[in-house]
Amino acid sequence: MKTTVATLKKMKENHEKITMLTCYDYTTAKLMDAAGIEILLVGDSLGNTVLGYEDTLSVTMDDMIHHTAAVARGVKNALVIGDMPFMSYQTSIYDALVNAGRFMKEGRANMVKLEGGARVCEQIEAIVKADIPVCAHLGLTPQSVNAFGGFKVQGKSAEAARELLDDAKRVEEAGASLVVLEGIPAKLATIITEEVSIPTIGIGAGAGCDGQVLVYQDMLGMFSDYVPKFVKQFANVGEVMSTAFKNYMREVKEGTFPAQEHTYKIEDEVIEALEK
Ligand code: KIV
């Protein structure tokens, strides 16, 4: 069954946890979809994990569309969210609408995500009016790294916590269907989850959210540049890959790969004819 906005709403009502993972390519999308993950987020974190940038600011709309379309081709049931990159929606409502439209038309996403609360509500309203579902993103929003002065936990003071709660209510009023809460205290995320009727998806925000998201290379132990405190490694795929690469290299160098079973046959007469 295809996951839709209505499915997610029902899951919150039924206290059924929602699972989301980041995804950037067709092969991984097929595996996650078959496993039953409800939401695949084509996050602008691909700037770090796929493209090797130190933050997400250099990611372009074309980068995002390219990867969103690949993920959408691998999915049967999961809901695909396209993450609007830095300066694709902050510049104007018109830009936000045009770029959200590109995610739907070219990327075949089912929803778009953008960072920010009250200050992007006009954009959220305009996108929702065009029948494009929106996921908001509050807290430690990576596109604000320079304004925050680093990747720092948000919402720790009374004023900042109040502002986050207000932002969550504002994005709900503006029509968002979902809200990601990143890098905020667990107790605050639980309060926000209770105060809004749209599902909250936490990352570094504790177990009180309606669902969870992780960057898939983090949870598979493939990305070691920086491992945040909130990451749990569910497997050490990085080590499995590294061992496989070394074994391949050894077998090629010693001549044991490819073996007979990896080769194609040809009739002896054909070879004999060649040698005449
Ligand atoms: O870009 C991303 O992967 C994200 C998640 C970490 C929420 O925004």
Side-chain angles (χ1 to χ4, degrees):
M1 277 269 284
K2 179 78 187 170
T3 302
T4 65
V5 169
T7 321
L8 300 175
K9 193 166 177 276
K10 197 152 256 147
M11 286 176 81
K12 174 162 180 135
E13 284 162 11
N14 295 340
H15 304 288
E16 190 186 336
K17 294 283 185 184
I18 299 166
T19 55
M20 184 197 282
L21 283 172
T22 67
C23 188
Y24 318 101
D25 70 275
Y26 172 80
T27 304
T28 313
K30 280 185 81 170
L31 289 168
M32 289 179 181
D33 190 65
I37 300 294
E38 283 103 3
I39 307 175
L40 305 195
L41 168 66
V42 188
D44 63 353
S45 53
L46 72 83
N48 308 101
T49 59
V50 178
L51 302 176
Y53 298 133
E54 65 181 33
D55 55 42
T56 57
L57 303 186
S58 304
V59 175
T60 65
M61 271 303 295
D62 286 345
D63 293 332
M64 291 307 304
I65 296 294
H66 182 73
H67 287 271
T68 305
V71 168
R73 286 192 288 269
V75 156
K76 281 200 180 80
N77 295 322
L79 182 137
V80 176
I81 302 184
D83 202 4
M84 300 193 69
F86 185 54
M87 288 298 132
S88 69
Y89 57 94
Q90 292 93 338
T91 42
S92 70
I93 293 170
Y94 177 81
D95 286 348
L97 204 47
V98 168
N99 287 320
R102 282 194 67 195
F103 271 104
M104 306 304 276
K105 287 174 82 84
E106 299 171 49
R108 303 297 300 173
N110 307 115
M111 186 182 282
V112 297
K113 178 170 88 55
L114 47 82
E115 296 183 7
R119 65 198 160 94
V120 292
C121 276
E122 282 187 302
Q123 283 88 333
I124 294 176
E125 273 169 23
I127 296 169
V128 170
K129 265 196 200 139
D131 287 338
I132 301 172
V134 171
C135 173
H137 185 165
L138 301 174
L140 201 183
T141 43
Q143 291 174 18
S144 308
V145 58
N146 290 304
F148 291 155
F151 294 101
K152 295 178 183 157
V153 174
Q154 300 295 304
K156 289 186 89 163
S157 69
E159 194 189 353
R162 162 63 54 199
E163 198 180 326
L164 273 175
L165 180 56
D166 287 346
D167 274 340
K169 290 179 179 171
R170 291 288 300 276
V171 296
E172 177 182 17
E173 274 164 28
S177 301
L178 211 57
V179 56
V180 168
L181 302 176
E182 177 164 358
I184 66 170
K187 283 186 181 166
L188 175 60
T190 302
I191 293 171
I192 294 175
T193 301
E194 287 163 0
E195 295 273 325
V196 296
S197 66
I198 55 175
T200 62
I201 307 291
I203 174 163
C209 299
D210 297 306
Q212 296 293 323
V213 57
L214 282 175
V215 169
Y216 94 84
Q217 289 92 339
D218 285 344
M219 59 86 74
L220 290 184
M222 293 167 67
F223 187 75
S224 55
D225 290 9
Y226 174 67
V227 183
K229 177 184 174 182
F230 58 77
V231 169
K232 175 172 174 179
Q233 289 188 352
F234 287 80
N236 197 340
V237 175
E239 203 172 287
V240 172
M241 289 172 79
S242 186
T243 304
F245 297 148
K246 285 181 196 153
N247 288 343
Y248 165 74
M249 191 175 127
R250 182 176 41 74
E251 290 196 21
V252 169
K253 289 198 183 284
E254 68 190 18
T256 51
F257 176 81
Q260 202 61 44
E261 67 265 30
H262 308 119
T263 58
Y264 300 103
K265 288 196 170 63
I266 189 169
E267 296 301 328
D268 286 347
E269 306 87 80
V270 179
I271 299 294
E272 280 159 21
L274 273 182
E275 287 167 351
K276 274 186 193 147

